[in-house]
Amino acid sequence: MIPGSSVINLGQQTNTWRPLVKTTANLTDVRSIKSTFEFRTFDPEGVVFYGDNHCGEEWFILALHGGVPEIQIHKAYVMVSATGGPRLDDGQWHLMEVSTEGKFVLLEVDGSKALTVGLHSQKVDEVITGQLRLALGGILIDSSRLLVPFRPEMDGCVRAGRWLDLTEPWEMVEGGAELQPCLEAIRRGSYFPGSGFAVFNASTLNIEAPESRVDIVLDGDFAQMNGTLLSLRGGDNALALGVEINKHSQTMLFTYGKTEFTTATNSKKLRLIFRERFFSVSHDEESFMVASSTDQTLDESIWREGRLAIGGLLGEEEDAVGSNFLVGCLEKVVVQGKQLDMDLSAKDVSISSHSCPVR
């Protein structure tokens, strides 16, 4: 059981839509129509707070979309969605207040009105009985019922919550992992603590057949990292590329097909460029290594059938992984000019998609 005022890390989901924690109370016990809590994130999209009654017949969702608060409500025969207010994905703690005044649902941020949603239905109000369900970090209805679709994963934290003045504690949703603490201070980036990695199917990266080149750029302080930075395997599971950082020797080892070479880690930008059977590497925009291969596993099919892992070494079998996972903060990973969102990968629950600790 988790007290309602606890600090809760929402960014540790093992199931896309399932909430992290939830609580249930009788509607007749509700004495307040206001919830207040503090919220912090660098994540521009995801579920923050959910509530419903009558087992999901009527429901409310507070989420972020493009960094801005979004409210979706289903009540009686009415569905409504509204977006507005300040951007909240700035890594600062914000005081949030959600309340009801007559036919209006109000959202205040840091003491100022951010969003007002009006509701009206011809349906006669029923006697308020039954159970109320509240949840954080996910929803308790099928996502197909949403008026506006969005990605649910939220790398954020809440604290100091007063949830309708209910005394019932939060409980972990069945099958959830143990609660992870929130970082005391954060900065933008994806944090890999050394216990897992993030995997993308290459086909989801929408890379066209590389007639010219495929471009991958990674930003971060590589001298402060240790472990496998990146790996790439083809559809036949042959290792096409592995990049490993050794913090003690301050070197970066590249395994490209059957070729190996090393370089120093004293850079903040690493660029990998694939041109048919040629591969080049540059640090801070200065090219230093070009390799070539006749290996058939390195042709364009790898971008249709392969897998790209950030933070670990892909194994030969689907479930096999290397153990030298990355420890460190990647500020961003850009593939073909588009920044990767770790929330869209199959990743270990320990990885923070949008936030890194400030050391």
Side-chain angles (χ1 to χ4, degrees):
M1 295 297 190
I2 306 159
S5 59
S6 299
V7 179
I8 300 175
N9 183 349
L10 304 180
Q12 49 186 297
Q13 290 296 68
T14 56
N15 181 286
T16 302
W17 287 98
R18 183 179 60 202
L20 180 68
V21 294
K22 66 178 181 178
T23 188
T24 304
N26 291 323
L27 282 167
T28 53
D29 295 334
V30 175
R31 297 290 180 261
S32 171
I33 51 176
K34 178 172 66 176
S35 293
T36 62
F37 57 96
E38 294 181 28
F39 173 65
R40 182 193 69 182
T41 190
F42 277 122
D43 194 340
E45 187 167 340
V47 180
V48 181
F49 175 38
Y50 169 91
D52 73 19
N53 58 44
H54 305 302
C55 293
E57 290 184 21
E58 298 181 346
W59 47 263
F60 163 93
I61 296 172
L62 172 63
L64 287 194
H65 211 157
V68 176
E70 177 177 89
I71 288 177
Q72 294 193 44
I73 301 173
H74 177 262
K75 183 176 177 64
Y77 299 107
V78 177
M79 289 188 70
V80 64
S81 175
T83 303
R87 288 198 68 130
L88 301 180
D89 56 337
D90 58 2
Q92 303 298 313
W93 285 105
H94 294 280
L95 177 62
M96 313 284 287
E97 179 179 296
V98 181
S99 62
T100 302
E101 292 184 6
K103 297 178 181 179
F104 295 90
V105 176
L106 310 177
L107 171 66
E108 289 190 4
V109 177
D110 298 325
S112 298
K113 284 188 177 180
L115 194 56
T116 301
V117 182
L119 294 169
H120 178 68
S121 174
Q122 298 294 333
K123 183 179 179 181
V124 178
D125 289 339
E126 299 176 352
V127 178
I128 302 179
T129 59
Q131 285 194 324
L132 170 74
R133 301 187 300 179
L134 302 179
L136 297 179
I139 63 178
L140 296 170
I141 57 172
D142 193 281
S143 60
S144 63
R145 298 177 61 187
L146 296 176
L147 182 59
V148 179
F150 61 88
R151 298 198 310 272
E153 301 91 341
M154 170 51 66
D155 177 12
C157 289
V158 298
R159 69 182 184 187
R162 294 176 60 89
W163 311 98
L164 304 178
D165 278 343
L166 297 175
T167 59
E168 285 80 0
W170 296 108
E171 60 182 59
M172 292 291 296
V173 173
E174 184 178 354
E178 182 179 352
L179 277 178
Q180 300 294 317
C182 287
L183 299 171
E184 184 174 345
I186 59 174
R187 59 190 175 98
R188 290 189 186 275
S190 298
Y191 181 59
F192 294 76
S195 52
F197 62 3
V199 182
F200 295 85
N201 286 326
S203 60
T204 66
L205 302 177
N206 297 319
I207 296 175
E208 300 293 335
E211 298 177 358
S212 55
R213 70 182 194 181
V214 174
D215 196 333
I216 300 177
V217 179
L218 302 96
D219 287 6
D221 188 351
F222 301 110
Q224 300 301 315
M225 300 182 196
N226 193 69
T228 302
L229 177 63
L230 173 150
S231 64
L232 176 65
R233 282 191 180 271
D236 59 357
N237 277 327
L239 181 66
L241 176 67
V243 183
E244 186 169 344
I245 297 173
N246 188 317
K247 184 177 181 180
H248 303 292
S249 63
Q250 292 290 283
T251 58
M252 192 176 296
L253 171 65
F254 295 82
T255 302
Y256 174 68
K258 299 178 181 179
T259 303
E260 289 189 352
F261 55 91
T262 61
T263 183
T265 58
N266 56 344
S267 71
K268 299 295 180 67
K269 183 185 291 290
L270 177 67
R271 189 167 205 158
L272 313 176
I273 298 177
F274 299 83
R275 288 187 179 92
E276 295 181 349
R277 310 224 174 169
F278 289 87
F279 170 65
S280 66
V281 178
S282 65
H283 279 175
D284 297 332
E285 304 300 338
E286 182 177 347
S287 181
F288 71 89
M289 177 61 69
V290 176
S292 63
S293 175
T294 59
D295 194 327
Q296 294 296 320
T297 65
L298 301 178
D299 63 18
E300 67 270 11
S301 67
I302 197 169
W303 306 110
R304 299 191 306 267
E305 305 165 2
R307 292 174 292 153
L308 172 67
I310 307 297
L313 181 65
L314 287 162
E316 294 183 1
E317 302 299 329
E318 186 70 24
D319 298 328
V321 296
S323 59
N324 192 18
F325 297 121
L326 181 68
V327 178
C329 175
L330 276 171
E331 294 175 10
K332 61 181 178 180
V333 180
V334 179
V335 178
Q336 296 297 79
K338 183 177 180 181
Q339 185 169 343
L340 290 187
D341 185 343
M342 297 301 162
D343 281 339
L344 300 182
S345 69
K347 69 180 182 69
D348 187 82
V349 71
S350 66
I351 297 170
S352 297
S353 298
H354 298 272
S355 53
C356 291
V358 176
R359 302 295 188 186

